[in-house]
Amino acid sequence: MRERRRKKRLRVASLFVATVMGMIAEYYYRKRPRHLMDPSEVIERDVAGRKQMLRNLYQGSNVYCYDSLRLTKRSFSDLCTILRERCDMCDTLNVSVEEKVAIFLLVVGHGTKMRMIRSSYGWSLEPISRYFNEVLRGVLSLCHEFIKLPDPLAVQPEDSKWRWFEDCLGALDGTHIDVFVPLADQGRYRNRKQQITTNVLGVCDRHMKFVYVLAGWEGSASDSRVLRDAMSRDDAFAIPSGKYYLVDAGYTNGPGFLAPYRSTRYHLNEWAAQGNNPSNAKELFNLRHSTARNYVYG
């Protein structure tokens, strides 16, 4: 019994000594002198980490590159080469063309906020905005070379919807898109539904392809006012002689534009199940007009 008690006291003493020694070691570990990194080393480390994060986007797998930047690795490389050769873009001391293009594609491809890019990659907002606008100017300078608008006089598709409208090229309409503007300008951008929007004119051919777009007008501007501006600009929207586009009742019926009959039922096919078929020639015209116009711009 006495030997057992002695061994127990020995184990307790050993455990106590080990605990005290561990506490002392922890104390001296915390008090040890530490290596303080030079600020330049911190900056270099952050820059290297940022470059590696962006490099992973366009140098990783093809699927990851496409999911992140909405371009394949081959297309991304070709775009950077084109911007270097034709737009005189070049690498700077800390940022390569690939990084600039990657930032641009993150914004336009996913709608990523510049503040989110600042948080992720460590840049301030000013250089992010500068790089974005540099790439944007380069891409816009190439638009006439790479974007080929469809010819409105090309062979149109054979479709029963259009057989009633000979020489019709397609349809046009205005659409309202929500925007954020300064408080002082919100009155001009408030549309009839009390929403803050911009009124965008879009013109489509029978293939449902855009042939003309005019953006920038305030939401309070009428569709006809935006159309008049489109036809008076240097790069004016022009309609070939003898041709026309289908428009809704918000536009004036005249040369180049065919509107429906006013004060006459429209979209009659919505009530066809209740037996509301056209009862006269004007309602029949409006039905065929809405069927064709809504096919490309409904």
Side-chain angles (χ1 to χ4, degrees):
M1 180 66 69
R2 184 177 301 176
E3 182 67 20
R4 188 181 308 167
R5 291 178 180 177
R6 187 183 68 81
K7 291 182 178 180
K8 183 176 181 181
R9 286 196 297 269
L10 184 61
R11 286 197 300 270
V12 171
S14 301
L15 180 60
F16 175 77
V17 172
T19 302
V20 172
M21 294 299 293
M23 294 174 62
I24 295 174
E26 176 68 15
Y27 173 79
Y28 281 104
Y29 176 80
R30 292 179 179 273
K31 292 294 183 178
R32 81 188 192 286
R34 299 185 181 183
H35 172 66
L36 298 179
M37 296 183 64
D38 187 84
S40 60
E41 296 180 10
V42 177
I43 295 175
E44 291 178 0
R45 183 192 62 186
D46 293 343
V47 171
R50 183 194 69 216
K51 287 181 176 295
Q52 186 59 45
M53 290 175 64
L54 282 174
R55 196 177 296 118
N56 290 338
L57 297 180
Y58 51 84
Q59 291 185 352
S61 67
N62 200 52
V63 174
Y64 183 63
C65 180
Y66 184 83
D67 290 344
S68 302
L69 304 178
R70 310 305 299 165
L71 286 179
T72 62
K73 293 174 62 176
R74 171 72 177 275
S75 299
F76 179 85
S77 177
D78 291 344
L79 176 60
C80 294
T81 301
I82 291 172
L83 291 174
R84 278 193 169 96
E85 295 177 352
R86 304 188 188 181
C87 303
D88 297 327
M89 287 187 62
C90 57
D91 299 340
T92 60
L93 181 62
N94 295 320
V95 184
S96 65
V97 172
E98 284 76 12
E99 288 180 281
K100 298 176 183 179
V101 175
I103 290 174
F104 174 81
L105 294 176
L106 285 172
V107 175
V108 300
H110 300 281
T112 306
K113 302 295 184 182
M114 292 187 181
R115 295 183 183 275
M116 294 298 298
I117 295 178
R118 178 184 65 176
S119 301
S120 301
Y121 301 104
W123 277 308
S124 60
L125 291 178
E126 188 277 330
I128 294 175
S129 177
R130 175 156 38 88
Y131 301 147
F132 176 86
N133 284 282
E134 182 181 357
V135 178
L136 178 61
R137 286 192 296 269
V139 172
L140 291 178
S141 67
L142 301 170
C143 64
H144 296 292
E145 182 175 352
F146 291 97
I147 300 178
K148 304 298 182 183
L149 295 177
D151 182 5
L153 298 179
V155 178
Q156 300 292 349
E158 293 295 334
D159 194 299
S160 60
K161 300 180 181 65
W162 299 102
R163 65 190 180 96
W164 311 105
F165 302 99
E166 187 177 359
D167 297 326
C168 178
L169 298 178
L172 64 86
D173 200 358
T175 182
H176 287 261
I177 300 175
D178 294 338
V179 293
F180 293 98
V181 297
L183 183 62
D185 297 329
Q186 288 187 3
R188 297 186 294 115
Y189 284 86
R190 194 179 303 278
N191 62 21
R192 59 187 178 85
K193 297 181 179 179
Q194 302 304 309
Q195 298 171 334
I196 308 301
T197 62
T198 179
N199 194 350
V200 179
L201 170 67
V203 183
C204 296
D205 65 6
R206 293 189 185 183
H207 296 277
M208 294 187 287
K209 295 180 179 179
F210 283 99
V211 297
Y212 185 87
V213 175
L214 177 61
W217 271 91
E218 300 90 339
S220 60
S222 65
D223 291 344
S224 57
R225 177 68 184 89
V226 178
L227 178 59
R228 287 197 302 270
D229 178 54
M231 301 184 70
S232 62
R233 291 173 169 255
D234 294 336
D235 56 343
F237 167 57
I239 302 176
S241 178
K243 305 295 182 179
Y244 61 90
Y245 286 90
L246 300 182
V247 297
D248 63 18
Y251 297 92
T252 302
N253 197 9
F257 308 101
L258 182 61
Y261 284 103
R262 298 176 183 272
S263 302
T264 302
R265 288 192 298 176
Y266 201 61
H267 303 298
L268 291 175
N269 54 339
E270 296 179 1
W271 302 293
Q274 288 78 28
N276 292 320
N277 294 317
S279 59
N280 53 54
K282 290 184 178 181
E283 288 187 356
L284 178 60
F285 174 85
N286 279 6
L287 173 61
R288 292 171 176 171
H289 186 283
S290 67
T291 301
R293 190 182 72 87
N294 289 348
Y295 175 71
V296 298
Y297 219 87

